[in-house]
Amino acid sequence: MNCYLLLPFMLGIPLLWPCLGATENSQTKKVQLPVGSHLRVKRGWVWNQFFVPEEMNTTSHHVGRLRSDLDNGNNSFQYKLLGAGAGSTFIIDERTGDIYAIQKLDREERSLYILRAQVIDITTGRAVEPESEFVIKVSDINDNEPKFLDEPYEAIVPEMSPEGVIRISSKMDRELQDEYWVIIQAKDMIGQPGALSGTTSVLIKLSDVNDNKPIFKESLYRLTVSESAPTGTSIGTIMAYDNDIGENAEMDYSIEEDDSQTFDIITNHETQEGIVILKKKVNFEHQNHYGIRAKVKNHHVDEQLMKYHTEASTTFIKIQVEDVDEPPLFLLPYYIFEIFEETPQGSFVGVVSATDPDNRKSPIRYSVTRSKVFNIDDNGTITTTNSLDREISAWYNLSITATEKYNIEQISSIPVYVQVLNINDHAPEFSQYYESYVCENAGSGQVIQTISAVDRDESIEEHHFYFNLSVEDTNSSSFTIIDNQDNTAVILTNRTSFNLEEEPIFYISILIADNGIPSLTSTNTLTIHVCDCDDSGSTQTCQYQELMLSMGFKTEVIIAILICIMVIFGFIFLTLGLKQRRKQILFPEKSEDFRENIFRYDDEGGGEEDTEAFDVAALRSSTIMRERKTRKTTSAEIRSLYRQSLQVGPDSAIFRKFILEKLEEADTDPCAPPFDSLQTYAFEGTGSLAGSLSSLESAVSDQDESYDYLNELGPRFKRLACMFGSAVQSNN
């Protein structure tokens, strides 16, 4: 089928487009008449392949003729039509063999009929020839207009597309308009007369291509970062915009200019933002501002679209460093010092130094933690407080703390390692305690003991010890020594036979020298016991006896210690028991409930002001008025008044006895304070002979009173007598 679509509007020029969805019904129908039929001779038959046009307007339409080559035209043959459609759709003239279509044919319903034909002799009634098949094909005519099956149609065309199937008048930009609606018309028969047409609507969407580069809207960004911020800290974001969509709008941010290599930019692929992060720590005092340039580009760019992305968009970022109060900074991350052992107290160890990195440069105070062996001054000088011994501790791990004086909350600490260097201050000595034995019948040159030595000092090279006998033992010793030159030596007998009764024990002085600088020598005593050995010359029996003797001695010591402990505990228990008994004798009636009710009044008489706080008339109506009494009483009178005051109290022998005991204790207490004190144990009742103690209603002045009677009360009142006697004399 030849057809084209005509778009007479919208785009301004015709667009040629294949018929989308047009069916076969829109093909141009061609009728092939019998003139062009295929002729074939078969067994005397002349049969045809017939073509008949559809949409016949007549009631009968001649299709073609069947004829046998035996037919001489005398009408003696009869033609019959058999098969599907025979008699209903097609009929045959029995005399002439002409075939007619008697119904309207539709090629779209059935385009092919297969029939059979037979020729019979009328006179005999027999078939002249066997049956033969032939085909009738229905040819197509233009009876259907073009149809679009799946309308409405939607097509996606890349923007900026070159001419192709759709011809466009100019380049289209998706960012300006991304959809177009067009009307499509389809015509068959290439516009010839009698052609049919159909129309449909097509939505054309422009797909995005990466023809726009990302652009920064801001040419300058201002960010801040604290100098205390750790590396990796996000200090701000920047953002570019891209008119494209989807993956064409994905961006990559990067640093274009940063000589300090202090910052970096990473891309957030979800928000398409650039995150500025801290790559290295900053220092306000070293540099307080930075300037960097960032650029952005698309992540996906086709090669043919690189012309739109030749120059990347950039922006400038200014970063201001914020100052914070920083702790002191040591010059080194740690310190290692060395000092020889046995140096005197206050010896110099080393110097640490820390400074305030801030502009104000605060003075620094140093301190040592976790050590009592070293001290540090405000200059950072470390000294020793005691003499050091490498054999006790070869290394000291200190923690030095630096604190700003202007802000004591700013503190820094560093480790300080002090190595104590060795000096040869320890002489070698026996590696263990030796118990040596020699038999009475031992011969000369017999090995008695093998000895070795140790040295607590550290040697730069391997230790080497030298063994010798003292001068005295060398001249008159019964034993000799041989140095094995491997830090061991052997003791040998220097004579034959020993006497257990005359010389049961020998003490040999052995000199051991080291290879230190300077060399040190020690004298070590080796004890050798003479043993009554058996015939075999074994010293095991002697060793067993010594072991039992030592064990017996230890048992006696342990028993003596236990006895001493028991005596001490017995004495302690006896002392505690006596004290407890004494307490019971002093307080036999301790179970009684003694209480003292003390009421304290801080109000002091104030003359006329008392009339505002007290009812003076009520006070004056007291039954007993204070009378002027001369204080020239004797101690006996005081005691008499004291006894009378006891009588007016509660009639309790226990309470009275308690008061008397307290008075006696106060009089005879040698540990009493040097000043006078008042202890009150009785109460004042109605009609007390002591009179009122209030200063109210005092009609007579006490200036003429004499206090000489205080001298008669004993040494406890001597100080009061001096004080009041001096006061009276000064007033007079």
Side-chain angles (χ1 to χ4, degrees), residues 624 629 640-642 644-645 648 684-692:
I624 297 178
K629 293 183 180 290
S640 176
L641 292 175
Y642 171 67
Q644 293 177 5
S645 65
V648 298
E684 181 182 356
T686 303
S688 173
L689 298 178
S692 175

Side-chain angles (χ1 to χ4, degrees), residues 193-300:
L196 300 178
S197 64
T199 60
T200 188
S201 298
V202 178
L203 174 62
I204 300 177
K205 292 184 177 181
L206 298 182
S207 62
D208 184 54
V209 297
N210 198 354
D211 59 337
N212 294 281
K213 67 178 182 181
I215 298 175
F216 286 106
K217 297 299 183 182
E218 300 291 338
S219 60
L220 176 65
Y221 287 87
R222 298 182 183 272
L223 304 177
T224 58
V225 59
S226 172
E227 65 173 338
S228 62
T231 57
T233 301
S234 172
I235 63 175
T237 59
I238 60 176
M239 188 170 184
Y241 297 87
D242 193 332
N243 291 327
D244 296 318
I245 59 175
E247 69 174 10
N248 293 329
E250 294 181 0
M251 312 175 196
D252 288 327
Y253 296 87
S254 60
I255 296 291
E256 187 177 51
E257 296 177 7
D258 182 14
D259 298 334
S260 65
Q261 300 293 318
T262 307
F263 303 94
D264 197 5
I265 297 181
I266 59 176
T267 304
N268 186 338
H269 293 289
E270 294 184 357
T271 61
Q272 299 302 319
E273 292 178 319
I275 304 174
V276 183
I277 62 174
L278 188 62
K279 191 176 179 181
K280 294 191 304 186
K281 285 185 66 67
V282 294
N283 191 324
F284 177 84
E285 289 72 26
H286 181 263
Q287 185 175 353
N288 56 19
H289 67 278
Y290 293 85
I292 62 175
R293 183 170 293 277
K295 66 178 180 179
V296 62
K297 62 180 181 179
N298 282 128
H299 188 67
H300 306 281

Side-chain angles (χ1 to χ4, degrees), residues 18 47 108 118 123 222 233 261 267 279 351 399 431 514 608 652 670:
W47 60 273
E108 286 72 29
Q118 189 178 26
T123 58
R222 298 182 183 272
T233 301
Q261 300 293 318
T267 304
K279 191 176 179 181
V351 177
S399 179
S431 60
D514 60 14
E608 295 180 357
S652 174

Side-chain angles (χ1 to χ4, degrees), residues 156-408:
I156 298 177
V157 180
E159 62 174 337
M160 311 298 293
S161 296
E163 181 178 316
V165 179
I166 295 181
R167 293 179 176 88
I168 57 178
S169 60
S170 62
K171 290 184 178 181
M172 293 180 288
D173 192 347
R174 185 201 62 82
E175 286 73 31
L176 299 178
Q177 184 176 350
D178 59 352
E179 292 183 355
Y180 295 89
W181 280 97
V182 296
I183 305 298
I184 305 297
Q185 184 183 40
K187 284 188 176 181
D188 57 11
M189 298 182 64
I190 317 179
Q192 296 180 2
L196 300 178
S197 64
T199 60
T200 188
S201 298
V202 178
L203 174 62
I204 300 177
K205 292 184 177 181
L206 298 182
S207 62
D208 184 54
V209 297
N210 198 354
D211 59 337
N212 294 281
K213 67 178 182 181
I215 298 175
F216 286 106
K217 297 299 183 182
E218 300 291 338
S219 60
L220 176 65
Y221 287 87
R222 298 182 183 272
L223 304 177
T224 58
V225 59
S226 172
E227 65 173 338
S228 62
T231 57
T233 301
S234 172
I235 63 175
T237 59
I238 60 176
M239 188 170 184
Y241 297 87
D242 193 332
N243 291 327
D244 296 318
I245 59 175
E247 69 174 10
N248 293 329
E250 294 181 0
M251 312 175 196
D252 288 327
Y253 296 87
S254 60
I255 296 291
E256 187 177 51
E257 296 177 7
D258 182 14
D259 298 334
S260 65
Q261 300 293 318
T262 307
F263 303 94
D264 197 5
I265 297 181
I266 59 176
T267 304
N268 186 338
H269 293 289
E270 294 184 357
T271 61
Q272 299 302 319
E273 292 178 319
I275 304 174
V276 183
I277 62 174
L278 188 62
K279 191 176 179 181
K280 294 191 304 186
K281 285 185 66 67
V282 294
N283 191 324
F284 177 84
E285 289 72 26
H286 181 263
Q287 185 175 353
N288 56 19
H289 67 278
Y290 293 85
I292 62 175
R293 183 170 293 277
K295 66 178 180 179
V296 62
K297 62 180 181 179
N298 282 128
H299 188 67
H300 306 281
V301 180
D302 294 334
E303 186 67 27
Q304 61 270 21
L305 298 175
M306 287 298 297
K307 60 182 179 180
Y308 300 105
H309 302 267
T310 55
E311 185 177 355
S313 176
T314 62
T315 186
F316 193 76
I317 304 174
K318 287 187 177 181
I319 302 174
Q320 182 68 35
V321 180
E322 296 179 342
D323 186 24
V324 296
D325 192 4
E326 299 175 277
L329 181 64
F330 284 92
L331 299 183
L332 297 176
Y334 61 91
Y335 291 84
I336 299 178
F337 299 122
E338 296 177 346
I339 183 173
F340 283 100
E341 62 176 334
E342 302 299 336
T343 55
Q345 177 182 352
S347 298
F348 174 81
V349 177
V351 177
V352 299
S353 179
T355 58
D356 183 6
D358 300 314
N359 290 331
R360 64 180 182 177
K361 301 300 179 184
S362 171
I364 304 299
R365 181 184 296 110
Y366 300 94
S367 61
V368 181
T369 58
R370 302 199 309 266
S371 177
K372 297 181 179 179
V373 184
F374 300 92
N375 189 21
I376 188 171
D377 58 17
D378 288 342
N379 295 324
T381 303
I382 303 175
T383 57
T384 61
T385 59
N386 295 301
S387 180
L388 304 180
D389 189 351
R390 192 204 63 82
E391 286 69 34
I392 296 178
S393 179
W395 282 90
Y396 290 90
N397 299 331
L398 310 179
S399 179
I400 302 298
T401 300
T403 306
E404 292 184 8
K405 291 185 178 180
Y406 295 160
N407 185 0
I408 60 176

Side-chain angles (χ1 to χ4, degrees), residues 273-570:
E273 292 178 319
I275 304 174
V276 183
I277 62 174
L278 188 62
K279 191 176 179 181
K280 294 191 304 186
K281 285 185 66 67
V282 294
N283 191 324
F284 177 84
E285 289 72 26
H286 181 263
Q287 185 175 353
N288 56 19
H289 67 278
Y290 293 85
I292 62 175
R293 183 170 293 277
K295 66 178 180 179
V296 62
K297 62 180 181 179
N298 282 128
H299 188 67
H300 306 281
V301 180
D302 294 334
E303 186 67 27
Q304 61 270 21
L305 298 175
M306 287 298 297
K307 60 182 179 180
Y308 300 105
H309 302 267
T310 55
E311 185 177 355
S313 176
T314 62
T315 186
F316 193 76
I317 304 174
K318 287 187 177 181
I319 302 174
Q320 182 68 35
V321 180
E322 296 179 342
D323 186 24
V324 296
D325 192 4
E326 299 175 277
L329 181 64
F330 284 92
L331 299 183
L332 297 176
Y334 61 91
Y335 291 84
I336 299 178
F337 299 122
E338 296 177 346
I339 183 173
F340 283 100
E341 62 176 334
E342 302 299 336
T343 55
Q345 177 182 352
S347 298
F348 174 81
V349 177
V351 177
V352 299
S353 179
T355 58
D356 183 6
D358 300 314
N359 290 331
R360 64 180 182 177
K361 301 300 179 184
S362 171
I364 304 299
R365 181 184 296 110
Y366 300 94
S367 61
V368 181
T369 58
R370 302 199 309 266
S371 177
K372 297 181 179 179
V373 184
F374 300 92
N375 189 21
I376 188 171
D377 58 17
D378 288 342
N379 295 324
T381 303
I382 303 175
T383 57
T384 61
T385 59
N386 295 301
S387 180
L388 304 180
D389 189 351
R390 192 204 63 82
E391 286 69 34
I392 296 178
S393 179
W395 282 90
Y396 290 90
N397 299 331
L398 310 179
S399 179
I400 302 298
T401 300
T403 306
E404 292 184 8
K405 291 185 178 180
Y406 295 160
N407 185 0
I408 60 176
E409 295 182 355
Q410 296 298 333
I411 301 174
S412 296
S413 298
I414 58 165
V416 175
Y417 307 101
V418 180
Q419 182 182 14
V420 181
L421 302 179
N422 180 66
I423 61 174
N424 195 18
D425 58 342
H426 291 86
E429 57 189 8
F430 281 152
S431 60
Q432 65 184 38
Y433 176 74
Y434 294 103
E435 287 283 352
S436 303
Y437 303 92
V438 61
C439 295
E440 286 183 305
N441 57 356
S444 178
Q446 182 177 344
V447 176
I448 301 302
Q449 182 72 54
T450 300
I451 61 175
S452 62
V454 293
D455 192 342
R456 290 188 295 168
D457 290 322
E458 184 182 26
S459 179
I460 300 177
E461 57 186 16
E462 187 177 359
H463 281 293
H464 187 73
F465 305 115
Y466 306 94
F467 299 88
N468 290 290
L469 294 178
S470 64
V471 178
E472 295 80 5
D473 291 334
T474 302
N475 297 329
S476 61
S477 177
S478 299
F479 302 91
T480 185
I481 187 170
I482 296 178
D483 193 341
N484 296 328
Q485 300 298 320
D486 60 355
N487 294 339
T488 64
V490 292
I491 308 299
L492 300 90
T493 59
N494 199 23
R495 71 179 189 183
T496 59
S497 72
F498 294 87
N499 193 327
L500 177 61
E501 296 179 358
E502 295 180 0
E503 294 179 306
I505 299 176
F506 291 90
Y507 298 98
I508 302 176
S509 298
I510 299 177
L511 303 179
I512 306 177
D514 60 14
N515 60 338
I517 301 176
S519 178
L520 296 180
T521 304
S522 65
T523 301
N524 300 266
T525 301
L526 178 65
T527 303
I528 301 176
H529 300 271
V530 178
C531 181
D532 184 11
C533 302
D534 53 15
D535 296 337
S536 62
S538 175
T539 61
Q540 292 182 357
T541 304
C542 190
Q543 293 177 4
Y544 176 75
Q545 293 176 357
E546 292 292 335
L547 178 62
M548 294 301 296
L549 180 62
S550 63
M551 290 182 62
F553 173 74
K554 293 179 181 177
T555 303
E556 293 175 356
V557 172
I558 293 173
I559 293 175
I561 293 174
L562 292 176
I563 292 174
C564 292
I565 293 175
M566 294 175 63
V567 170
I568 293 173
F569 275 102

